[in-house]
Amino acid sequence: MILSDLNNKTVGMVLSGGGVRGMGHIGMLKALEERGIEASVISGSSVGALVGALYAGKSDLKDMLAFFKETPLFKYNFLTINKPGLVDTERYYPIFKEYIPFADFESLHKELYVIATNLQKGVEEVFSKGELIMPLLASAALPPVFSPVEMNKMLYADGGIMNNFPSEPLKGKADFIIGSNVSLVREVSKKEISSSLQLAARTTSLMVYAINRQKIRSCDIIFEPVELEHIGVFDKKAIEKAYTIGYDHASRVLDSHLAN
């Protein structure tokens, strides 16, 4: 199936985790919008879940960027000593509610699936019904920085721990799958693996990519802007840069497909 065949087709979208690199998702959405391509069902983990919720709520693309720019990653009065983690994730509830003013999944304009990790059971869980904000907070609660979120007497954390590219919920629900993966792997120099932290970051990214590689390749069209790997997961100063990289990459990929 090519892009010109999308009329009367159900389009699904998978949005990976990746922190600030997830602004590339918003750039991709801009490129799709300019070409009249819209998804009706979305599945996301971590930052992908947040972008997915904003998209499912029909937020303006500028408002999406504003949400990430104005939401503080580290705020003194958000620090916690009573919970595991450095920052109390649930303190972000009012901020999320302001930008995503929907009581539940059913109120959204598009179908949305959010992945979070049940830390106690050691499994991923898919949220698509009922209260919206708490599952979003849980899906983006990356340990050890952010505290787990308690729901139904269980502790939940970042969806990317168990499933960073959650294409499974879209099975049987979409005729055409668009994938946006911002957790990327490129060749690096020895200097880029010269400290324990760099080594840990490199091995983690390799494991995440290896686990999800087959699912990524199974998408009908995939966006993977490799330049995003130069951007740190928590580098808020790079929000606009990540957005631009995502937009430019998606525009090139889409124009290449539309030319065929």
Side-chain angles (χ1 to χ4, degrees), residues 166-180:
S167 60
E168 294 87 349
L170 302 187
K171 188 175 182 181
K173 296 181 179 295
D175 306 307
F176 188 93
I177 304 295
I178 295 171
S180 182

Side-chain angles (χ1 to χ4, degrees), residues 60-78:
D60 181 88
L61 295 175
K62 291 182 180 178
D63 290 337
M64 290 188 189
L65 285 174
F67 167 72
F68 291 101
K69 287 178 180 178
E70 296 174 16
T71 300
L73 284 177
F74 305 106
K75 195 173 181 180
Y76 180 74
N77 62 342
F78 282 15

Side-chain angles (χ1 to χ4, degrees), residues 26-91:
I26 303 177
M28 179 268 299
L29 291 175
K30 176 65 173 175
L32 290 176
E33 181 184 85
E34 290 178 346
R35 291 157 181 81
I37 301 170
E38 184 176 1
S40 58
V41 54
I42 307 103
S43 179
S45 274
S46 197
V47 69
L50 302 185
V51 173
L54 290 163
Y55 183 62
K58 292 197 172 180
S59 291
D60 181 88
L61 295 175
K62 291 182 180 178
D63 290 337
M64 290 188 189
L65 285 174
F67 167 72
F68 291 101
K69 287 178 180 178
E70 296 174 16
T71 300
L73 284 177
F74 305 106
K75 195 173 181 180
Y76 180 74
N77 62 342
F78 282 15
L79 298 179
T80 179
I81 57 174
N82 298 319
K83 297 180 179 181
L86 301 175
V87 180
D88 185 350
T89 304
E90 294 183 33
R91 295 293 299 273

Side-chain angles (χ1 to χ4, degrees), residues 41-228:
V41 54
I42 307 103
S43 179
S45 274
S46 197
V47 69
L50 302 185
V51 173
L54 290 163
Y55 183 62
K58 292 197 172 180
S59 291
D60 181 88
L61 295 175
K62 291 182 180 178
D63 290 337
M64 290 188 189
L65 285 174
F67 167 72
F68 291 101
K69 287 178 180 178
E70 296 174 16
T71 300
L73 284 177
F74 305 106
K75 195 173 181 180
Y76 180 74
N77 62 342
F78 282 15
L79 298 179
T80 179
I81 57 174
N82 298 319
K83 297 180 179 181
L86 301 175
V87 180
D88 185 350
T89 304
E90 294 183 33
R91 295 293 299 273
Y92 289 90
Y93 190 98
I95 300 173
F96 277 40
K97 195 69 175 176
E98 179 183 353
Y99 282 90
I100 310 171
F102 297 92
D104 47 43
F105 282 85
E106 290 82 357
S107 301
L108 294 168
H109 302 289
K110 300 172 184 291
E111 198 171 346
L112 175 67
Y113 295 88
V114 169
I115 310 302
T117 299
N118 186 318
L119 291 174
Q120 292 171 253
K121 292 184 178 180
V123 297
E124 67 177 87
E125 291 189 21
V126 182
F127 294 86
S128 60
K129 297 178 181 179
E131 208 274 336
L132 174 64
I133 301 300
M134 292 299 282
L136 290 176
L137 288 169
S139 185
L142 180 65
V145 175
F146 298 100
S147 68
V149 172
E150 185 171 344
M151 295 184 290
N152 303 317
K153 298 183 179 180
M154 302 296 290
L155 294 177
Y156 291 86
D158 196 287
I161 297 169
M162 299 292 291
N163 191 346
N164 200 52
F165 193 82
S167 60
E168 294 87 349
L170 302 187
K171 188 175 182 181
K173 296 181 179 295
D175 306 307
F176 188 93
I177 304 295
I178 295 171
S180 182
N181 177 40
V182 296
S183 293
L184 303 150
V185 171
R186 63 177 174 84
E187 184 175 341
V188 299
S189 66
K190 289 181 181 179
K191 289 182 179 180
E192 293 175 274
I193 317 177
S194 59
S195 71
S196 296
L197 286 176
Q198 289 175 324
L199 176 62
R202 178 62 174 174
T203 53
T204 299
S205 64
L206 289 174
M207 286 189 291
V208 167
Y209 190 76
I211 291 168
N212 293 288
R213 184 181 304 164
Q214 186 173 352
K215 291 190 292 178
I216 291 167
R217 290 177 176 173
S218 69
C219 292
D220 294 291
I221 186 169
I222 184 71
F223 300 101
E224 287 191 294
V226 177
E227 300 94 333
L228 287 174

